[in-house]
Amino acid sequence: MQVPETEHIIGMELYATTAEGIGGMLRQEPEDFIVKEVSGWEVEDSGKYLILELTKKDWDTHHIMRDLSRALGISQKRIGFAGTKDKRAVTTQRISIFDIPLETVEKVHIKDVQLTSIGRYRRAVELGDLLGNQFKITMRDISLEKDELKNRMDGITSEISAMGGVPNFFGIQRFGAIRPVTHLVGEALVRGSAEEAAMMYIAASFREEPEETRMARDEVRNTRNFAQGLRTFPPRLRYERAMMHYLVEHPGDYKGSFSMLTETMSRMFVHAFQSYIYNRVICARIQAGIPLNRAIEGDIVCFKNSGSLPDTSRTQRVNAVNLDGMNNLIKRGRAFVTAPLFGYDTEMATGIPGELESAIIDELKLKPEDFRLEELPAMASRGQRREILLNVQPRFEILEDDLKIGKLKVMVEFSLPKGSYATTVLREYMKVDPLKMS
């Protein structure tokens, strides 16, 4: 079954399930996407940090942190959180606030935001301070008859169960849903072309963008007139505008234009290119008929840590001697087959898995040292391994769609470890253009 072109562009070249999709759309209402963070530690009765459960609806994480700090009259740096959450959704997560009484927080009232105290702690909640997320997601606007819908849902769920989960693809959010260009910018940077990278980020247009934006990008691409671009680019494209402003003042210094971005954002480009390669490696493995939930000789596996998550800092190569033992650990959820996030110091598989990895690297004409980015060392990446399977067990319920008379909706629930994408599960069921899932 052919995937949409947008997914093919980001290396998701296939579906892991063969049953026909159900169609539908996501995020018709914020309540259609409910996410609850799963934390790995218990709060206490004392400590400098007040720990709260924050539930928000239709709020961007960074915006609510900004507005909350203003309402409390404190620096935003005093508020900690474990991860950003979807905007068009209802999300629940832990946050910490340094050195503040509960009574002060109780006086704050922000629309569609609820704050509940759950205790105190001796340190702040930090990025990555979670085990994963629980999802309850509604797929709407489904035109199938109920019996056919149930047959397809049952068939896909059975296939997922037989595989032990779904491929741990990096979803479209990693690359940009409307404008999947992030990895292409990263590729240009890795290949040493800062000019191509900057022009790709500033001026590559996509048909899903507003016409005004497409025209502004196209004009800059054709003319390199950045001063004119500052007059025509909408204010919301602040990063592109910042880079163009730099190029007006420093003509031709495309490498320097990336200094206008945050360090985190700059690194995102190379990481997205690594994610594209990783997605392609998983597809190559599936196309070769090699399971995702069983190791073969030459694979590199990682092991479960104390939080029951894959620890890619602890790896071991699979050989004829340890093969059966490794697969026993994989079956028990204590080890995981991995694929490379290719960088300048990435451990590569051998045997058939290594041939699949090397074929993609060779096709792209890449070398490990390319990822050192000597002229832009802040963006360099040594690489690592990442588990290739999400051990997910979805449950679903079919209901009448209360927004579209005569149509059905499906509510599906599942849990995922941190760093993974709910859309990688949902795409197996829906098999639609990613824009219908964003």
Side-chain angles (χ1 to χ4, degrees):
M1 189 176 300
Q2 189 155 356
V3 302
E5 178 61 23
T6 303
E7 290 192 328
H8 203 277
I9 288 172
I10 62 173
M12 299 169 71
E13 300 168 347
L14 48 73
Y15 296 112
T17 55
T18 59
E20 194 169 353
I22 67 169
M25 297 187 71
L26 296 182
R27 304 178 193 270
Q28 299 300 285
E29 298 284 341
E31 292 82 0
D32 290 348
F33 211 93
I34 299 174
V35 186
K36 184 169 185 179
E37 197 173 82
V38 179
S39 297
W41 46 277
E42 297 297 325
V43 298
E44 301 170 348
D45 295 327
S46 61
K48 275 288 189 180
Y49 295 87
L50 179 65
I51 308 300
L52 303 158
E53 189 173 77
L54 164 69
T55 299
K56 61 181 181 63
K57 182 176 80 171
D58 209 19
W59 271 93
D60 174 84
T61 300
H62 295 286
H63 288 171
I64 186 56
M65 297 305 169
R66 178 198 62 195
D67 284 17
L68 179 59
S69 69
R70 289 175 178 172
L72 293 169
I74 63 174
S75 165
Q76 195 170 328
K77 294 179 180 179
R78 288 170 59 181
I79 304 176
F81 57 95
T84 57
K85 295 289 182 281
D86 298 86
K87 178 182 185 296
R88 189 159 178 76
V90 176
T91 69
T92 301
Q93 65 190 118
R94 283 186 182 183
I95 67 170
S96 64
I97 306 179
F98 176 69
D99 194 24
I100 197 166
L102 175 59
E103 294 75 18
T104 302
V105 176
E106 289 177 333
K107 295 176 183 176
V108 171
H109 299 284
I110 301 175
K111 187 178 185 310
D112 294 326
V113 173
Q114 181 179 339
L115 291 165
T116 305
S117 173
I118 56 176
R120 304 194 77 90
Y121 204 60
R122 56 186 176 273
R123 66 170 179 83
V125 177
E126 299 175 342
L127 286 175
D129 242 351
L130 73 161
L131 294 178
N133 294 285
Q134 296 173 341
F135 296 90
K136 186 175 183 180
I137 299 173
T138 300
M139 300 176 280
R140 292 186 182 270
D141 199 15
I142 300 169
S143 301
L144 300 172
E145 296 294 330
K146 190 169 186 177
D147 287 346
E148 177 62 20
L149 176 56
K150 186 176 187 308
N151 285 340
R152 294 190 190 185
M153 289 295 298
D154 282 338
I156 294 167
T157 303
S158 295
E159 288 190 72
I160 290 173
S161 178
M163 288 187 296
V166 300
N168 191 18
F169 287 129
F170 284 96
I172 190 69
Q173 302 97 313
R174 183 77 161 187
F175 308 90
I178 292 176
R179 192 170 174 256
V181 72
T182 310
H183 63 302
L184 301 176
V185 176
E187 179 177 7
L189 289 168
V190 166
R191 297 191 188 284
S193 179
E195 179 177 355
E196 181 183 352
M199 291 306 300
M200 180 75 67
Y201 184 67
I202 295 169
S205 63
F206 283 75
R207 67 177 182 275
E208 289 81 9
E209 294 185 279
E211 182 179 2
E212 177 188 10
T213 303
R214 292 200 313 271
M215 291 176 63
R217 290 194 196 276
D218 290 344
E219 182 178 21
V220 168
R221 186 189 67 225
N222 293 330
T223 66
R224 295 288 205 278
N225 189 335
F226 300 115
Q228 176 63 18
L230 289 170
R231 290 189 284 270
T232 57
F233 269 51
R236 61 183 173 79
L237 301 181
R238 61 186 185 278
Y239 296 117
E240 291 94 323
R241 292 178 61 86
M243 290 176 72
M244 287 192 293
H245 184 78
Y246 180 92
L247 289 166
V248 169
E249 295 188 342
H250 306 84
D253 185 9
Y254 293 96
K255 181 180 68 175
S257 71
F258 283 95
S259 67
M260 296 294 97
L261 309 180
T262 65
E263 187 173 317
T264 299
M265 187 172 181
S266 296
R267 287 177 176 170
M268 173 183 70
F269 299 123
V270 174
H271 290 172
F273 183 43
Q274 293 172 309
S275 302
Y276 163 78
I277 297 169
Y278 167 91
N279 281 353
R280 288 195 57 189
V281 170
I282 294 182
C283 291
R285 187 182 182 99
I286 295 171
Q287 288 167 333
I290 305 172
L292 304 182
N293 63 343
R294 192 171 75 245
I296 64 173
E297 289 184 43
D299 268 322
I300 296 173
V301 302
C302 68
F303 301 96
K304 183 173 72 172
N305 64 16
S306 59
S308 298
L309 295 173
D311 181 358
T312 55
S313 70
R314 297 173 54 232
T315 61
Q316 188 169 344
R317 195 177 302 278
V318 178
N319 54 41
V321 176
N322 64 22
L323 177 61
D324 289 343
M326 287 296 182
N327 277 320
N328 185 42
L329 290 175
I330 291 169
K331 186 175 181 179
R332 292 160 56 194
R334 295 177 59 188
F336 311 86
V337 181
T338 67
L341 290 166
F342 188 67
Y344 64 78
D345 191 27
T346 311
E347 185 179 16
M348 300 294 283
T350 56
I352 294 175
E355 292 172 6
L356 296 174
E357 294 175 9
S358 295
I360 293 170
I361 298 303
D362 290 346
E363 177 195 327
L364 293 169
K365 296 181 173 59
L366 293 171
K367 302 182 296 297
E369 52 267 32
D370 294 338
F371 286 81
R372 292 189 183 276
L373 282 86
E374 294 184 357
E375 293 190 353
L376 292 164
M379 298 187 191
S381 178
R382 67 183 306 151
Q384 64 182 64
R385 305 286 299 188
R386 173 180 162 100
E387 71 276 14
I388 62 174
L389 185 71
L390 284 177
N391 184 5
V392 62
Q393 300 173 332
R395 303 176 303 280
F396 70 88
E397 181 181 7
I398 298 173
L399 301 165
E400 297 290 330
D401 191 337
D402 48 306
L403 296 183
K404 292 284 185 74
I405 296 175
K407 294 196 175 184
L408 298 172
K409 66 180 182 181
V410 179
M411 295 176 62
V412 60
E413 297 183 57
F414 52 87
S415 298
L416 294 177
K418 65 179 180 180
S420 49
Y421 295 79
T423 50
T424 62
V425 179
L426 301 173
R427 70 184 291 271
E428 297 291 342
Y429 286 103
M430 299 174 72
K431 296 184 170 76
V432 297
D433 189 287
L435 286 177
K436 293 187 176 182
M437 302 174 67
S438 60

